[in-house]
Amino acid sequence: MSGVNYSEKIPNNVNLVGDRTLQRALEHWQPHFIEWWKGMGPSDFQSADVYLRTATSVDAQGWATYGTVKMPDYRWGIFLADQQAGRTIGFGDQMGQPVWQQVPGEYRSTLRRLIVTQGDTEPASVEQQRLLGHTCPSLYDLRNLFQINVEEGRHLWAMVYLLHAYFGRDGREEAEELLARHSGDADKPRILTTFNEPISDWLSLFCFTYFTDRDGKYQLKSLAESAFDPLSRTCRFMLTEEAHHMFVGETGLGRVTKRTLEVMKEIGSDDPARVRAAGAVDLPTLQKYLNFWCSSSLDLFGSEISSNSAANFANGLKGRPDESQYEDHVLREKTLTLAVPAGDETVPMLNALNEVMRESYLKDCEIGLKRWNRQIERAGFSTRLTLPSSRFRRTIGAWAGQPVTPEGKLLDKTTYEKQLHEWIPSESDRAFVHSLMRKVTEPGKMAAWIAPPERGINNLPVEYEYVKLH
Ligand SMILES: [Fe+2]
Ligand SMILES: [Fe+2]
């Protein structure tokens, strides 16, 4: 178990005090981070007292310490899961050899790119969500938003630590760039498309935390397998925090569904126009939001057939999520048959790992849908929510730009374009959802379009004043 030295400027369990050069470099980056937070983090609310959890160590007691804090004073720290003695590489051509405590020269630029790409998503999501506080459906939800935001900030710290500690001057330059790119910026956008999509309503936030943070979970899980041990340990600890982000998405969408069903029962109809008139999100609109965010997140796994993912696996840089559940960890003999627009194609399994990850991700996404559909069934309605086909609306890979329906059927382009607004939110759908977004800040009160949560945070009641506005 590793302790934390809170007398230092940067809370950490990496013995920062023992490496003055690294400590100074990070202390130099810290004010830039705070400046970024104040400029690009949650708009307003910087002086609000927020009930937040902070990681003070990586063991069960310390990783979630709750207290009231103003966000700019949050103790962003550097925490790695404890080192496992004798850990060996769990996959690829160097399987069974000791893991690396330093970056091997031949993998330096690839590892740096993996870390920068992961790191870029963390501040990107904070930027995407920065205006949502103004339309929060409750103080409970506002607090959850800010919890996610400060933790994404901490994940940025985690990646910046790796860049500074293991990649020398290029690493320091990359760390500055992570604060210079901005979500949706015309000149310097974030690296991945999904992280440039604006999130201007809470339905989108719940979809984002359900689908896109779950992609994050899968990326972190595959990097947690890495032979580069500091990266593995960093990601293993980030996963503990990530679970809450997906909880916010899953329960958020469940609460939206619950409220919609209450309204449908009250008015005795599932007519979308009447549901909307009664102030709730109709189920067809919810389905469109699911289609949009799921398809957008599927692109994050990359092309179905990828020589990069093959090399990353063979070299031990990036494994499959939960690598130990598989039998074959080398994959030099296996193939996989994939459906591509031209027909079936059989490729070496090593080259199809993005698709393997995407498939297991989609299975994980099904869990929430099953739950929400049970709610709908119990309420006596026949609508069922579904995930779109992994070929729908893709912009990367074999199915990029193909006119495919959410059910996975190929159409002609004209029909597809005419029908697209039936499958993803149209301008008027978005305008309707925006019209519901009204700030509710009375403790315990909820906006009319969402049901209250089943319980509060850390055993506190739902009515607790989770954010004290001044
Ligand atoms: Fe994150
Ligand atoms: Fe997250």
Side-chain angles (χ1 to χ4, degrees):
M1 186 169 55
S2 346
V4 176
N5 187 349
Y6 265 93
S7 61
E8 294 173 49
K9 268 191 179 172
I10 304 164
N12 71 89
N13 70 350
V14 294
N15 188 28
L16 209 49
V17 84
D19 186 341
R20 301 298 293 171
T21 318
L22 176 60
Q23 189 180 19
R24 263 197 302 275
L26 285 166
E27 283 176 1
H28 177 76
W29 186 80
Q30 189 178 39
H32 300 178
F33 170 82
I34 296 292
E35 210 175 294
W36 166 81
W37 178 269
K38 287 183 175 166
M40 298 304 292
S43 148
D44 294 334
F45 304 102
Q46 303 282 355
S47 65
D49 289 308
V50 190
Y51 185 73
L52 293 174
R53 73 176 183 194
T54 305
T56 58
S57 66
V58 296
D59 55 289
Q61 289 78 39
W63 80 270
T65 307
Y66 288 86
T68 297
V69 60
K70 294 187 200 317
M71 284 185 282
D73 302 332
Y74 190 77
R75 302 290 314 239
W76 284 283
I78 299 165
F79 298 100
L80 275 62
D82 288 332
Q83 196 164 345
Q84 291 168 0
R87 182 175 171 246
T88 55
I89 302 175
F91 61 95
D93 297 339
Q94 300 170 69
M95 167 125 186
Q97 292 178 27
V99 292
W100 319 317
Q101 298 306 330
Q102 290 297 329
V103 180
E106 65 268 44
Y107 306 136
R108 191 181 166 89
S109 69
T110 311
L111 272 170
R112 193 184 59 213
R113 190 170 42 77
L114 286 172
I115 291 168
V116 166
T117 308
Q118 177 62 39
D120 194 66
T121 66
E122 315 287 356
S125 68
V126 177
E127 293 167 354
Q128 285 172 291
Q129 297 164 14
R130 68 184 301 265
L131 296 175
L132 287 173
H134 298 288
T135 54
C136 64
S138 72
L139 286 182
Y140 166 90
D141 290 290
L142 185 62
R143 176 266 166 209
N144 283 346
L145 169 71
F146 293 157
Q147 182 70 62
I148 293 171
N149 292 160
V150 293
E151 284 175 353
E152 301 303 8
R154 206 199 65 72
H155 294 176
L156 171 62
W157 269 98
M159 294 296 122
V160 163
Y161 161 72
L162 292 174
L163 290 169
H164 274 232
Y166 296 97
F167 294 89
R169 190 193 164 140
D170 324 349
R172 290 194 293 278
E173 283 170 7
E174 294 284 11
E176 292 298 328
E177 285 297 299
L178 284 167
L179 298 175
R181 284 184 293 269
H182 297 309
S183 178
D185 191 287
D187 301 320
K188 269 195 162 221
R190 291 295 176 183
I191 297 170
L192 302 167
T193 313
T194 311
F195 291 88
N196 288 300
E197 307 270 16
I199 301 179
S200 48
D201 65 77
W202 282 74
L203 189 55
S204 295
L205 174 74
F206 294 138
C207 288
F208 180 92
T209 46
Y210 188 77
F211 289 110
T212 314
D213 277 287
R214 192 177 311 274
D215 160 75
K217 166 184 164 183
Y218 274 74
Q219 301 300 336
L220 292 178
K221 270 175 168 286
S222 61
L223 294 172
E225 302 289 338
S226 182
F228 178 40
D229 203 41
L231 174 60
S232 162
R233 294 169 57 206
T234 303
C235 291
R236 267 183 274 149
F237 184 61
M238 286 159 73
L239 279 163
T240 54
E241 293 166 322
E242 208 56 52
H244 173 70
H245 309 179
M246 280 170 290
F247 163 86
V248 168
E250 178 167 345
T251 55
L253 292 170
R255 290 161 56 208
V256 172
T257 309
K258 185 175 176 196
R259 180 63 197 138
T260 300
L261 293 167
E262 286 169 4
V263 166
M264 283 160 67
K265 276 187 170 168
E266 275 161 33
I267 61 173
S269 166
D270 61 358
D271 176 8
R274 292 190 57 198
V275 173
R276 284 185 176 199
V281 179
D282 55 293
L283 294 179
T285 299
L286 176 57
Q287 179 65 61
K288 287 181 179 185
Y289 274 75
L290 299 179
N291 288 346
F292 178 89
W293 284 103
C294 183
S295 54
S296 164
S297 303
L298 284 170
D299 266 348
L300 294 169
F301 291 92
S303 294
E304 282 77 359
I305 302 165
S306 161
S307 53
N308 279 343
S309 75
N312 289 344
F313 187 89
N315 295 333
L317 308 184
K318 190 175 173 184
R320 287 166 294 186
D322 305 306
E323 184 60 44
S324 62
Q325 72 175 3
Y326 296 93
E327 270 175 23
D328 180 351
H329 301 288
V330 183
L331 300 177
R332 284 287 176 195
E333 313 294 330
K334 276 215 166 76
T335 58
L336 187 70
T337 302
L338 294 170
V340 296
D344 282 354
E345 192 175 333
T346 300
V347 296
M349 179 64 95
L350 270 180
N351 292 65
L353 291 179
N354 288 344
E355 193 57 15
V356 170
M357 252 172 98
R358 187 161 25 236
E359 292 294 323
S360 57
Y361 165 82
L362 277 171
K363 260 193 214 127
D364 207 42
C365 288
E366 286 285 357
I367 295 168
L369 276 102
K370 281 201 189 110
R371 197 161 295 163
W372 308 326
N373 281 333
R374 266 201 305 275
Q375 284 176 251
I376 300 173
E377 194 180 350
R378 272 201 302 267
F381 293 97
S382 59
T383 308
R384 294 294 177 265
L385 300 168
T386 55
L387 292 178
S389 157
S390 62
R391 300 167 196 175
F392 174 63
R393 220 173 67 88
R394 292 289 303 282
T395 65
I396 288 176
W399 294 91
Q402 295 287 329
V404 175
T405 67
E407 293 78 39
K409 273 203 285 298
L410 254 173
L411 285 183
D412 67 277
K413 227 169 183 128
T414 325
T415 317
Y416 172 83
E417 264 150 30
K418 248 192 237 149
Q419 281 189 281
L420 190 59
H421 74 275
E422 295 172 21
W423 300 321
I424 60 170
S426 64
E427 281 306 312
S428 74
D429 294 327
R430 289 189 186 278
F432 165 69
V433 169
H434 281 188
S435 75
L436 296 177
M437 301 295 131
R438 296 264 184 279
K439 185 168 164 183
V440 177
T441 56
E442 200 183 314
K445 285 268 171 326
M446 299 288 141
W449 55 272
I450 190 165
E454 268 163 34
R455 57 189 71 82
I457 297 297
N458 195 28
N459 296 321
L460 290 173
V462 173
E463 304 76 44
Y464 184 78
E465 195 176 357
Y466 290 102
V467 183
K468 290 191 177 72
L469 306 162
H470 299 292

